[in-house]
Amino acid sequence: MVKEKDIWNVLEKIRDPELGVSIVKMGMIKKVELKGDAVYIECELTTPACPLKKEIEDSIRSELSRIEGIRNVEIKTTAKVLPSRRILPEDILPSVKNIIAIGSGKGGVGKSTVATNLSIVLAKSGAKVGLLDGDIYGPSIPRMLGIKEPVRTDGKKLIPPEVYDIKVISIGFFITEDTPLIWRGPIISGALRQLFTDVDWGELDYLIVDLPPGTGDIPLTLAQTLPNAHGVIVTTPQPAAYSIAMKALMMFKKLNLNVIGVIENMSYFICPHCKNRVEIFGSGGGKELAEKLNVSFLGSIPLDPEVRISSDEGVPIVISNPHSEASKAYFDVARRLAGKLSMISFKLLRS
């Protein structure tokens, strides 16, 4: 007759595919219930966007099905996002578990589009997500998300508008589209700090910060204000973008921001007529950059006119056409990003 301890012994031998640690030791198994020839398992992942969810479930089902007397394995999978940063008593955002700064060395690589679509994908997975438009001089996220409602206040804090299940704040909510901001560095830095501190973010699993291009005041302010944030670099394949993205990546390292990885945007174009793949801007720049600096390559996103059209219309591609090639790429990149953060969280927890 099968006993509950037999189930636990088998589960103890199943390891997380990325970390190589027992899923029992990681605390992922929350409940084991045995009823006759059926076993019920509750498994808690470290992110709802876990890229290995199916692999872990298949391993559990496969290993338990080998036990003589077990005919049915039912698995309920939940998720609880863990912080990937040390939250100190003086932290200005103590209820935000993970902060990811999306940067680039130059403009025009689609950084804001990437930040917006990744935020939505993470939210669609079930995570609590915030998106901060840190591009003070050229805020574009309000248009990309089609937000026209004014920012409200409760008398103490700003209440960020919510769209597609993400909380959003941008300097663009407080100025007209044709108003230029002719501000010096200290004013810019102060404005960014206010977007962090004067907004009621509530509890967030992920806060995505869309940085302006380059290596100026904003990244420096971010590093000083939130020293435990992580960085992601967006580049395009061609050598010109690659060399400048290298500077942005080195900037993150000099500011002691942990660089999670590199995303290559506009990697290739699929002809809508002949379906051939054309690498308009060359190939491999993002991967080469990641390998050279020993960080993860999070994936490639194709060049697709529909991405531009959907952003201009305020309905990002992962919402307007979630089955498109570009949307599938965004989902893959978001899962890899969430997986990397989970690995950092687990190592932080063990330390």
Side-chain angles (χ1 to χ4, degrees), residues 64 88 91 122 126 141 145 149 177 274 280 288 317 326:
L64 293 183
L88 305 173
D91 199 299
L122 290 170
I141 284 177
L145 290 170
E149 64 178 278
E177 285 193 349
C274 65
I280 296 174
E288 185 180 342
I317 188 73

Side-chain angles (χ1 to χ4, degrees), residues 214-235:
T215 56
D217 293 294
I218 296 296
L220 181 58
T221 301
L222 172 74
Q224 292 171 338
T225 309
L226 298 163
N228 295 316
H230 303 284
V232 170
I233 296 295
V234 177
T235 186

Side-chain angles (χ1 to χ4, degrees), residues 151-152 158-162 166-169 173 199-201:
V151 176
R152 296 180 293 109
L158 298 173
I159 309 300
E162 292 191 42
I166 60 176
K167 296 179 179 180
V168 186
I169 199 69
F173 293 145
V199 174
D200 183 8
W201 290 107

Side-chain angles (χ1 to χ4, degrees), residues 123-155:
K124 284 171 73 70
S125 74
K128 298 175 183 177
V129 181
L131 174 60
L132 188 153
D133 186 354
D135 194 345
I136 304 295
Y137 287 122
S140 57
I141 284 177
R143 171 183 280 272
M144 288 184 181
L145 290 170
I147 302 174
K148 296 180 180 178
E149 64 178 278
V151 176
R152 296 180 293 109
T153 178
D154 61 3

